[in-house]
Amino acid sequence: MNTFRLLARRYDTLRPVVVDIAAGHIQSIQADFAHQTSAGHLPIVAPGLIDLQVNGLAGHELNHPHVSPDDVEAVTQGMLQAGVTHYLPTCTTDSRELLVRSLGVIATAKESLPRSRQSIAGIHLEGPYISAEDGPRGAHPREHVRPPSLEEFKQLQSAARGHIKLVTLSPEYPDSIELIRYLVQQGVLVAIGHTAASSEQITAAVDAGATLSTHLGNGAHPSIKRHPNYIWDQLADDRLTATLIADGHHLPTSVLKSMLRVKGLERSLLVSDITALAGMPPGIYRSGLGEVEVLEDGKLVVAHQRQLLAGASRDLLYCINHLRSALGLSIENAIDLASLRPAQHLGMASHGLEIGAPANLVVLSLRDLQLHHECTILGGEIVSGNLIA
């Protein structure tokens, strides 16, 4: 294991510190009094970012008939280059056969490839047990939407070799609650998403153990009943933590601000929902969701229209910067939404900038009020970029 010393500013106080790293862990954190009055040039060190919703990256689609372990490893490398130390590869609504294959490939990568073994914290199954209605269904293919099946989920979890950690589903089906209870008993997180459920169905889902709302405010009807509705219901339930896509496309600033005020920082977290088309030039592409289009501003939509979104093209660091510029959040609060909050839900109690914690860190520079990735440290090893200062 590498042994090295990092001179940087803490993300939560912006005070300069010396961080000693050895044997994969943070050995000490000491105040750097020599730079107390001239710390502005130092980088910022923070806990590594954690993304619970990653569909693909740079042409590598995880829910694809020909996905390979090397594709998964490439996505992992791309996450590390963006400061994400841990993530959940996400498989979306499709046929049982394709899901079985994709889940198996991701499990193989997690178990056998070096970076994926360290970074993949589990698998997110988004669908196929979601609403079939236009709007809530989003870009998920209607022909593969189906009611929950305990028998099918057991087959999918077997294909994933037990690595499914999070399931997004709609509680609007008669068998939804039975599946939620089973998932919770098995230690699988349950999120409500892509739903047209009633107030009573949402309450029943939370009573059964659902704890998250997947990209709240998206995967919804363009027009809904003023009240009650499934967005208000999830906002109002303090047992649910809202995952939010803060890329400037998925939620208007006023909506994002309102949701964060209602949920509070302690019941909110950021996800990217990033896809294989992130970084691709404008145009129409064929994906597992059908024809999708990258618009001139990077917005990703179902092809031939401009409103129905088809995933995202921005990473978590972009979302952090958007939150800071649009809502004025501090560096600490914005980063916590993409690091400590998701870590808590994954049971990663020691994920943080503290003595004894695993050295899973991101080093950032601050230029023109924007945070920029400089270096990612995973398990005490520099795996992307270079230390600066």
Side-chain angles (χ1 to χ4, degrees):
M1 285 287 184
N2 291 338
T3 299
F4 59 92
R5 173 168 286 186
L6 172 63
L7 174 60
R9 291 180 286 166
R10 292 185 62 106
Y11 82 108
D12 46 1
T13 65
L14 295 183
R15 293 178 180 173
V17 291
V18 177
V19 183
D20 286 309
I21 295 172
H25 288 74
I26 299 173
Q27 302 296 326
S28 69
I29 304 176
Q30 302 178 47
D32 176 30
F33 295 106
H35 292 87
Q36 289 293 330
T37 60
S38 59
H41 70 286
L42 294 178
I44 294 169
V45 61
L49 307 183
I50 299 176
D51 198 336
L52 303 185
Q53 196 164 0
V54 174
N55 304 284
L57 187 68
H60 301 278
E61 186 175 348
L62 296 175
N63 208 48
H64 189 276
H66 303 298
V67 66
S68 70
D70 287 340
D71 289 313
V72 181
E73 187 79 341
V75 172
T76 300
Q77 293 284 5
M79 290 291 103
L80 293 171
Q81 291 166 11
V84 176
T85 56
H86 298 85
Y87 76 105
L88 299 187
T90 300
C91 290
T92 54
T93 302
D94 217 303
S95 68
R96 183 182 299 203
E97 293 73 23
L98 189 142
L99 287 173
V100 163
R101 186 184 185 284
S102 297
L103 291 166
V105 167
I106 295 170
T108 295
K110 174 173 173 53
E111 294 170 358
S112 63
L113 297 180
R115 294 300 178 224
S116 292
R117 184 187 300 116
Q118 291 177 283
S119 289
I120 293 178
I123 300 173
H124 180 176
L125 181 63
E126 185 188 2
Y129 316 128
I130 60 172
S131 178
E133 295 185 23
D134 289 347
R137 179 171 49 82
H140 290 231
R142 183 196 302 272
E143 64 268 27
H144 295 306
V145 172
R146 46 198 183 270
S149 165
L150 182 55
E151 175 274 328
E152 181 183 38
F153 175 77
K154 289 179 178 179
Q155 182 181 356
L156 297 177
Q157 183 68 294
S158 177
R161 300 198 280 283
H163 292 304
I164 296 176
K165 181 66 176 177
L166 168 63
V167 173
T168 292
L169 54 74
S170 172
E172 64 194 74
Y173 296 98
D175 294 331
S176 295
I177 303 305
E178 177 190 10
L179 180 57
I180 292 172
R181 290 197 180 108
Y182 174 81
L183 293 171
V184 172
Q185 290 170 358
Q186 298 300 309
V188 177
L189 297 169
V190 177
I192 298 171
H194 289 282
T195 186
S198 67
S199 301
E200 294 74 20
Q201 289 167 331
I202 287 174
T203 297
V206 182
D207 288 343
T211 56
L212 292 163
S213 297
T214 287
H215 50 53
L216 189 60
N218 299 114
H221 294 95
S223 298
I224 57 177
K225 184 178 179 181
R226 181 178 58 181
H227 50 70
N229 62 58
Y230 46 79
I231 295 178
W232 283 116
D233 294 331
Q234 292 178 79
L235 280 172
D237 199 316
D238 290 341
R239 296 171 294 175
L240 287 173
T241 292
T243 77
L244 304 169
I245 306 173
D247 61 356
H249 294 149
H250 280 73
L251 295 171
T253 298
S254 60
V255 175
L256 191 57
K257 180 184 290 187
S258 298
M259 287 183 170
L260 282 171
R261 282 182 174 174
V262 172
K263 282 298 185 183
L265 297 175
E266 68 278 7
R267 290 189 298 275
S268 306
L269 61 87
L270 298 182
V271 294
S272 72
D273 199 20
I274 200 165
T275 71
L277 294 177
M280 301 295 282
I284 295 176
Y285 298 84
R286 185 74 189 175
S287 78
L289 298 176
E291 281 196 343
V292 297
E293 186 172 359
V294 179
L295 301 181
E296 295 78 9
D297 60 357
K299 186 176 181 180
L300 187 58
V301 298
V302 175
H304 310 300
Q305 55 84 54
R306 303 182 73 87
Q307 298 302 317
L308 185 59
L309 294 162
S313 62
R314 308 297 193 190
D315 60 30
L316 271 186
L317 188 55
Y318 184 97
C319 295
I320 288 170
N321 279 318
H322 178 69
L323 268 187
R324 294 189 61 244
S325 61
L327 302 187
L329 257 65
S330 68
I331 290 175
E332 176 188 8
N333 287 338
I335 288 179
D336 279 351
L337 289 173
S339 60
L340 298 190
R341 295 292 173 269
Q344 290 167 355
H345 282 272
L346 292 176
M348 299 168 60
S350 60
H351 186 81
L353 185 58
E354 56 190 37
I355 297 172
N360 300 318
L361 306 168
V362 60
V363 180
L364 307 163
S365 58
L366 182 62
R367 304 191 303 272
D368 300 323
L369 302 180
Q370 297 286 297
L371 293 166
H372 300 268
H373 173 264
E374 297 294 343
C375 174
T376 302
I377 301 169
L378 179 65
E381 179 184 358
I382 299 172
V383 294
S384 176
N386 297 288
L387 290 177
I388 59 174

